[in-house]
Amino acid sequence: MHKTKQFAVLAFCLPIWWVACGTSGGSQNLSAVDVGADLTSGDAFVEDDTQSDGVEPPCCPIVDTNQTQCYGVAECLTCPEAGSPFAGQDASFAGISPSYQDNGDDTVTDLNTGLMWQKTPGYMTFDDAVAEAAVSTHAGHDDWRLPTIKELYSLMDFSGLDPSGCESASDCALVPFIDSSVFNFEYGDESLGVRLIDAQYVSSTLYVSTTMDGAKTMFGVNFADGRIKGYPTDAMMGQSDGKMFYVLFVRGENKYGVNQFAADGDTVSDASTGLTWMKGDSGSMGAGTMNWEAALSFCEDLDCGGYNDWRLPNAKELQGIVDYTRSPATTNSAAIDPIFEATPITDEGGETNWAFYWTSTTHTNIGNGTVHGTSAAYVAFGEALGFMPDPMGTSVQLMDVHGAGAQRSDPKVGDAADYPTGFGPQGDVIRINNMVRCVRGGQEVFEAGATCQPTPAPVVCNIAGDGEPCCGDGTCDAIESTSNCPADCETLPGGPTPCEVQSDCEAPEACPPDATLGCTCSATPDGDLCLPACETDSDCPAPPDMELICSMDGVCIPSGGPGRH
């Protein structure tokens, strides 16, 4: 869909979950969802197919996110008891723990899914990855293939920290969203001119529509920043070669993520995972969209289909019901099996679309020496829209930038009006109030009471020509500053004001009086701060004992540090 308008019409209604949670009867409609790639033969995972009570167990339960820390709207907290604010979030439940076996031949077997993976990724274009998978004999096997997006996402580990605010690898204590004690993970190589977060991994799942105003698109997982996005498979305008991706080939029976749905009144069960879902969503119940804390409460309080043990699904559970054969542009529907009800919305361009759905998983970010939990993951069942800047940076166009089926994140609280052109390089649309579809059952066990354990300030050594000072050693050395070593260097009196949204920087006291262009809420290694806006160095204030210059991002920063002109 081609979008040009910029006004959202997103209803927010008070939760009224004491009404019926669906609108249909008790028919049994079986549906098997293909996950976007041909089934490929391989060494099948042999498992006991019956339980002691004679009931066949689910073939492919969802592997847990491995998130063990609970959060409020920003900081960590002791996981709440049921009925308390922020109860029911991801870390309050323990599922099937990730479990791997290193085979000693540069392969790894996932003991939960039975899939065998390469241990060390390749680095190539999408077309080269497809060709290489067909002929690879890695470790003596000749049945390697590209993983589906659901198989690849099974490796996602939400104990990772998003380093998007880090200027370079030396600024932050890095924790990827994949088990780096098992897989040989690498961040983007900045010496090659790519960003630290450019660690996108290839899947075989192609988007049935297009992104970026017509580009053929593949869904990939970024294990550096913890997201699923659609990436163009071919060279973009002005480029001679296609984008480079990391590649992990996989082998084994392709059954993880193949749903087996059956409807029963107001609920839908998935025999593949053992989970039971609301057939409808918060929109069909009249509750509309809501922020993250309200979404947790909505599911905690829900009585639906004769059950009252509902919860907000974690990111991997919710992504597990995406139907990657569907999209708003190709099937005029949400990217979900039609056995479910999905409430349409009016999007930021004034057109009919489908919503983002909250998960219970906090999307953690590292900055200022501590972990921040200000955002939570969502799954886009409608188009993953963004306000994409034109090549000259003079205007933006609303378009599907990452595809229906993407997993991104939104602030847990705030006002979407503070993000009129979205957030990030592709202008990801920020809504904050998202739709909800609750889940119950599966392997998740409630474990409230996990104690908050704030992440200590990292010790990061910077190598420079005049020595090797270490951030976190208690001294502010010559090449250290509040930007790259906040653990050692105290914030200067009268320094930038912390912010969460742009409106925080519009208060008179938040911006220096000589900041002629006002201030912008900007991500920095010290957290989000109100920095003076600028077009040239002359727009920057002149504080005592410090020279400010205009950065490439259009904000004033101290001269001589990373990211300066």
Side-chain angles (χ1 to χ4, degrees), residues 260-349:
Q260 299 178 52
F261 292 130
D264 184 8
D266 294 329
T267 67
V268 174
S269 62
D270 185 353
S272 177
T273 63
L275 296 171
T276 299
W277 296 87
M278 288 174 61
K279 184 174 186 178
D281 55 26
S282 55
S284 65
M285 291 181 59
T289 60
M290 60 196 75
N291 68 25
W292 189 66
E293 181 181 2
L296 290 168
S297 296
F298 177 88
C299 291
E300 283 278 294
D301 297 339
L302 182 65
D303 191 335
C304 179
Y307 302 101
N308 61 8
D309 58 347
W310 297 93
R311 54 185 171 81
L312 193 62
N314 68 41
K316 294 171 82 169
E317 290 172 327
L318 187 58
Q319 189 266 346
I321 62 169
V322 175
D323 184 344
Y324 285 97
T325 69
R326 306 178 68 84
S327 77
T330 58
T331 58
N332 194 33
S333 71
I336 194 170
D337 191 285
I339 200 170
F340 292 95
E341 299 168 3
T343 303
I345 63 169
T346 302
D347 68 22
E348 288 73 12

Side-chain angles (χ1 to χ4, degrees), residues 124-132 216 233-234 243 245:
M124 61 194 80
T125 66
F126 175 77
D127 288 342
D128 286 346
V130 173
E132 178 66 21
K216 179 182 176 182
T233 60
D234 302 321
K243 177 179 171 57
F245 298 96

Side-chain angles (χ1 to χ4, degrees), residues 488-505:
D488 294 342
C489 303
E490 295 181 355
T491 302
L492 295 174
T497 301
C499 59
E500 293 183 354
V501 294
Q502 177 58 32
S503 59
D504 294 338
C505 300

Side-chain angles (χ1 to χ4, degrees), residues 250-267:
V250 71
R251 58 185 297 270
E253 186 178 359
N254 183 331
K255 61 180 180 178
Y256 186 90
V258 180
N259 304 106
Q260 299 178 52
F261 292 130
D264 184 8
D266 294 329
T267 67

